Amino acid sequence: MERYILAHDLGTSGNKATLYRADGTLAASAVASYETRYPHPGWAEQDPEDWWRAICESSKDLMARAGAAPGEVACISFSAQMMGCLLVDKDGTPLRPMIIWADTRAAAQEKRMLDTAGMETVYRVTGHRASASYSAAKLLWVRDNEPEVYAKACKMLHAKDFIIHRLTGRFVTDYSDASGTNLFDIRKKEWSKEICAALDIPLALLPEPHPSADVAGTVTERAARACGLLAGTPVVIGGGDGSCACVGAGVVAEGNTYCVLGSSSWISTASREPVYDDKMRTFNWVHLDPAFYTPCGTMQAAGVSYSWYRDTLCAEERLAAKAAGKSAYALIDEAARSTRPGANGLLYLPYLLGERSPRWNHAARGAFVGLDITTTRAEMSRAVMEGVGYNLKVILDILEGRQPIEALTLIGGGAKGRLWLEILADIWQKPLEVPAYLEEATSLGAAVCGGVGVGLFPDYSAVRQFNKTVERIEPNRANAGRYQTLYAAFNEAYEALVPVYGKLAAYRAQTEEKPC
């Protein structure tokens, strides 16, 4: 009998269900979408019942596509969006929509956290800066603004935690998701009594934290009828999407490093100890393997920069691509390849959505610096890719300040673009390794976690057999000096524009409040 691992990846736009065989090969995948609602500026919410419908729909679709019987599923495991806040009652019924990771409404609560707990304390204990992006500030917002909801709350959950409760009846989370709350002591692997006391958050409101590979329970009869699975199937907790991507990329030993090149982008490494930056530019998650941490830096607009550029300035390429049945990116890359590295001195600052790590500046905005009368669209195309590379190099330099990084594994949709990878290799002067699974790496990490949890795999190193490197891109040493000069200019350009960003932010705030 075939043995399968069912992995669910609850993302921002939908749930991707994947079925992996015990040898790590992908049997089938299915996607069920759901909506994000933006009721006010800075707000972003989802209905948890939409997740459950997506889980049930995609599970049934997936099993049908693969021709798999429910009894062949060895376990279910999860990857999911992190840093959310969902309050439920004692029965697990949502009391309001989930406030998701992209929501920044809790600015006042962030300030209160700084005043009561202190930035340094929060960073050292939780591995993260205190921020409105994390669960704690969102929880405080609910307490301040919806006290009737807060009073009824039994638990605060993340996305996968809610689904696990719906499947098993248990309120649990894992260390990786817990480390995205601003409430978890990443060294002690427990909720921080110090920070919770400072914020007056009862420990009983938080789910029980576990290693990612722990079995939360088994699928109940009721849940089995809803999602087409077999009652009694083990449910492995899994982890946050960042930590699952880390394992899917093969980053399972000290010093292994990877980069996700997607809409946003991040660089992360595996470390036995958290890596604390003296300027708090980077942060730390707990790895799926609780013996490790994943020091990390995340930029907001990597692939978003390229898609914005395509949609805004490349109408000609989009029309030509549509007529030829090609990707517009392929045509843009083809033209950019004809230009010299360095884009003739043109810099692009990729801050279309403000910036988290390494800048931590919500007011920052994108810019082209160095345009002149001879600038071509092809040079602008190259500059966009280079600008993302420079910004990621800031993160890479911080992480490498602790231990040498010999090479990086690249995953994500952007890793399909060969020119962009060559540019990154040249800017970073590091070899890049491209594995077989790029966009499936996150679900593969969840599947490996599930396999470890039920004993199909001895440990997380099994992933190295499943997602092998298929290409290695070496840096062009001849471009090192050119990019070193422009990297310095890139950082100087950002610093010079910081006061301008502040003035523009103040202007936007004024004009948003006053009608024309």
Side-chain angles (χ1 to χ4, degrees):
M1 182 177 69
E2 187 75 77
R3 299 293 280 165
Y4 296 101
I5 300 170
L6 172 56
H8 286 287
D9 182 14
L10 282 155
T12 305
S13 59
N15 177 65
K16 184 175 184 179
T18 49
L19 204 61
Y20 289 92
R21 299 182 183 90
D23 64 359
T25 56
L26 179 63
S29 63
V31 176
S33 299
Y34 39 76
E35 181 184 0
T36 301
R37 299 171 183 83
Y38 304 94
H40 303 285
W43 291 31
E45 299 183 342
Q46 291 181 347
D47 181 351
E49 296 298 341
D50 288 345
W51 306 334
W52 178 240
R53 284 190 287 272
I55 290 286
C56 294
E57 177 186 327
S58 59
S59 294
K60 293 174 181 177
D61 185 13
L62 182 68
M63 300 296 285
R65 290 188 189 198
E72 294 177 312
V73 176
C75 68
I76 308 164
S77 188
F78 293 91
S79 164
Q81 55 177 292
M82 307 174 77
M83 299 157 50
C85 175
L86 172 64
L87 292 177
V88 300
D89 66 15
K90 61 182 178 59
D91 298 318
T93 303
L95 297 171
R96 69 170 327 281
M98 165 89 149
I99 304 176
I100 71 168
W101 64 273
D103 191 290
T104 57
R105 75 183 73 176
Q109 289 72 28
E110 173 187 318
K111 184 179 184 303
R112 190 187 315 155
M113 289 177 66
L114 295 177
D115 292 340
T116 56
M119 180 68 86
E120 182 70 23
T121 296
V122 173
Y123 184 68
R124 291 287 165 181
V125 172
T126 73
H128 295 260
R129 299 167 65 104
S131 171
S133 298
Y134 297 109
S135 308
K138 294 165 183 171
L139 177 62
L140 296 179
W141 184 92
V142 176
R143 188 173 72 187
D144 292 345
N145 294 275
E146 299 175 355
E148 70 288 352
V149 170
Y150 187 84
K152 296 176 184 176
C154 173
K155 295 293 178 184
M156 181 190 78
L157 303 177
H158 288 99
K160 76 176 192 335
D161 307 339
F162 170 76
I163 297 299
I164 289 171
H165 181 270
R166 187 62 61 91
L167 288 170
T168 70
R170 292 196 62 203
F171 288 124
V172 297
T173 193
D174 81 298
Y175 296 159
S176 71
D177 242 350
S179 64
T181 61
N182 265 167
L183 297 171
F184 192 67
D185 189 319
I186 60 172
R187 289 189 178 276
K188 294 180 180 179
K189 308 289 197 313
E190 63 184 32
W191 299 114
S192 170
K193 297 179 180 65
E194 177 186 9
I195 294 175
C196 287
L199 302 177
D200 195 23
I201 293 173
L203 294 174
L205 189 58
L206 306 174
E208 189 176 287
H210 288 261
S212 300
D214 276 10
V215 176
T218 60
V219 177
T220 66
E221 291 282 355
R222 182 178 180 182
R225 288 193 298 271
C227 61
L229 298 172
L230 192 66
T233 303
V235 178
V236 177
I237 299 173
D241 53 7
S243 293
C244 287
C246 187
V247 168
V251 176
V252 293
E254 181 87 19
N256 292 167
T257 306
Y258 78 110
C259 172
V260 174
L261 194 58
S263 296
S264 62
S265 184
W266 65 87
I267 295 178
S268 183
T269 188
S271 172
R272 292 281 180 182
E273 295 291 331
V275 173
Y276 295 105
D277 176 52
D278 58 357
K279 297 178 182 177
M280 295 185 280
R281 292 169 294 179
T282 55
F283 43 90
N284 296 272
W285 308 104
V286 181
H287 196 281
L288 296 187
D289 181 344
F292 291 102
Y293 298 90
T294 56
C296 181
T298 302
M299 65 172 288
Q300 297 283 72
V304 163
S305 285
Y306 207 4
S307 61
W308 166 84
Y309 174 74
R310 175 201 61 188
D311 295 343
T312 307
L313 298 174
C314 296
E316 183 179 325
E317 287 84 351
R318 286 189 287 119
L319 288 172
K322 185 176 182 180
K326 294 182 177 180
S327 162
Y329 291 123
L331 298 184
I332 296 168
D333 284 2
E334 184 180 332
R337 186 177 287 281
S338 68
T339 68
R340 292 186 300 172
N344 199 26
L346 178 65
L347 296 173
Y348 169 73
L349 278 64
Y351 306 125
L352 300 181
L353 298 171
E355 192 55 291
R356 291 178 64 205
S357 175
R359 307 299 189 189
W360 295 101
N361 185 347
H362 295 307
R365 289 296 181 267
F368 282 102
V369 178
L371 288 165
D372 68 29
I373 196 66
T374 67
T375 297
T376 65
R377 191 156 67 235
E379 288 170 339
M380 295 175 73
S381 303
R382 178 180 280 274
V384 169
M385 289 183 272
E386 290 176 340
V388 171
Y390 297 141
N391 202 59
L392 288 170
K393 181 172 167 54
V394 180
I395 298 168
L396 182 62
D397 287 350
I398 295 166
L399 297 178
E400 195 164 27
R402 181 181 177 274
Q403 60 185 10
I405 294 172
E406 302 300 329
L408 292 91
T409 298
L410 262 289
I411 61 173
K416 295 177 181 178
R418 175 61 188 255
L419 175 61
W420 205 350
L421 297 190
E422 291 175 2
I423 287 171
L424 296 179
D426 287 358
I427 291 174
W428 302 343
Q429 286 297 295
K430 303 285 184 187
L432 304 183
E433 296 178 344
V434 183
Y437 293 132
L438 297 176
E439 295 181 279
E440 299 85 4
T442 303
S443 65
L444 178 60
V448 171
C449 184
V452 172
V454 296
L456 288 178
F457 313 134
D459 55 46
Y460 289 97
S461 66
V463 73
R464 291 175 173 165
Q465 300 301 315
F466 305 153
N467 202 11
K468 295 182 179 180
T469 298
V470 295
E471 185 177 16
R472 183 178 169 97
I473 299 172
E474 298 288 341
N476 185 340
R477 305 298 178 191
N479 291 331
R482 184 195 306 258
Y483 278 130
Q484 186 175 3
T485 298
L486 291 172
Y487 174 58
F490 171 85
N491 286 315
E492 290 170 12
Y494 168 76
E495 294 297 339
L497 285 171
V498 167
V500 177
Y501 291 144
K503 292 176 181 178
L504 294 178
Y507 171 79
R508 286 192 297 271
Q510 285 183 328
T511 55
E512 284 172 2
E513 294 172 1
K514 298 177 181 179
C516 296

